[in-house]
Amino acid sequence: MDSITPLSFSGIDPRKPLIIAGPCSAESERQIMDTATQLAAAGIKIFRAGIWKPRTKPGGFEGVGQDGLEWLRKVREHTGMFTATEVANRLHTQQAIEAGVDILWIGARTSANPFAMQEIADTLQQVNPENLTVLVKNPVNPDIELWVGALQRIYNAGVRRIGAIHRGFSTYGKHLYRNVPQWHIPIELRLRYPNLPIICDPSHIGGKRELIAPLSQQAFDMGFNGLIVESHCDPDCALSDASQQVTPEILNFILNTLVIRDSRQTTESLTLLRQQIDRIDNELLEILSRRMGVSRDIGRYKKEHRMPVVQAGRYNDIIRSRVKLGEEMGMGQEFMKTILLAIHDESVRQQIEIINDRAQ
Ligand code: PEP
Ligand code: MN
């Protein structure tokens, strides 16, 4: 992907982060026009709205379909904003292009599916509209190759105005985030393709209004090129993703509080690598602390059943299999042993605390 073209739009300062905002879903002409007018008044130049909505379960609001395209056309006409919508198949792509939508984005469920990606790419290749921009969200699972593959399919179809969107990754269980961000993945993408614009979607990462501002700041601090944020004229009544949408007024306030840093210094690659190390270390610590939590649960179980803390067979198995795995992953035997023994010692210490009733 050597000839990616910068995402320039007439009337938008290319030195500033690209801001795309609008409701999760187009619900009615009135909702679209009200939201768009307010966003335009707040200086937003690119309007997003989902028309075909991929819902996890049946029975949710699945979008207004083609009717919404006419509303987007009106937004363009009345506010001068560029428009963006999600496409997931051939028909969506054809219809959105015919309706003059400026930016197509591909959702996380679609970018995880190479068949759907190829179908969209083939459609784009047939039409090949010159000024069309295509943004590809990361797939739901944290697989950089799948994300790169999705981007390559679009690029190979002849589209040069492309960009990536980090919207976090699905995980099992409850988390602070709706879709956990794994910043090292977009950073790796940046290292591989320095010219590829990367945009952050704090709405789908956080899933909560109050996380939009800190996530957006984090994205800017890490050199992201823009944001795509969900904004609705009446967020509490939104038919989809109500808890993560903000009014245009609040969005404007948030955007004004964000600090945009100058990332043009010569040590950019080094900074990115260091940021990558910081993130990975944080992840390591988080994983270690989760492991200690499970150890304490085991301690409680052993206490209840009057079992000894250390069971030699299990201990030896753990060390042997993990050292081998570590070696296969390119790490030295001594290093693996030291790390594993240290982790094991701390687990034992925590379990003994539990057994002696010194911890909960
Ligand atoms: C959306 O942007 O409304 C959307 C459905 O996003 P994602 O594909 O990230 O879930
Ligand atoms: Mn949404």
Side-chain angles (χ1 to χ4, degrees), residues 23-25 48 53 55 178 204 230 240-241 244-245:
C24 176
S25 304
R48 65 148 280 160
K53 298 304 297 177
R55 308 309 299 175
R178 178 178 176 194
H204 288 91
E230 287 190 341
S240 60
D241 290 353
Q244 69 191 36
Q245 304 205 59

Side-chain angles (χ1 to χ4, degrees), residues 54-97:
R55 308 309 299 175
T56 301
K57 289 182 183 158
F61 176 62
E62 294 190 330
V64 294
Q66 222 182 340
D67 287 351
L69 291 171
E70 180 53 23
W71 307 339
L72 286 184
R73 208 193 44 72
K74 284 200 177 148
V75 166
R76 235 173 166 279
E77 193 180 301
H78 290 276
T79 68
M81 279 195 274
F82 295 95
T83 56
T85 200
E86 174 173 347
V87 295
N89 60 30
R90 180 180 299 276
L91 193 67
H92 299 164
T93 310
Q94 281 167 342
Q95 290 181 347
I97 291 172

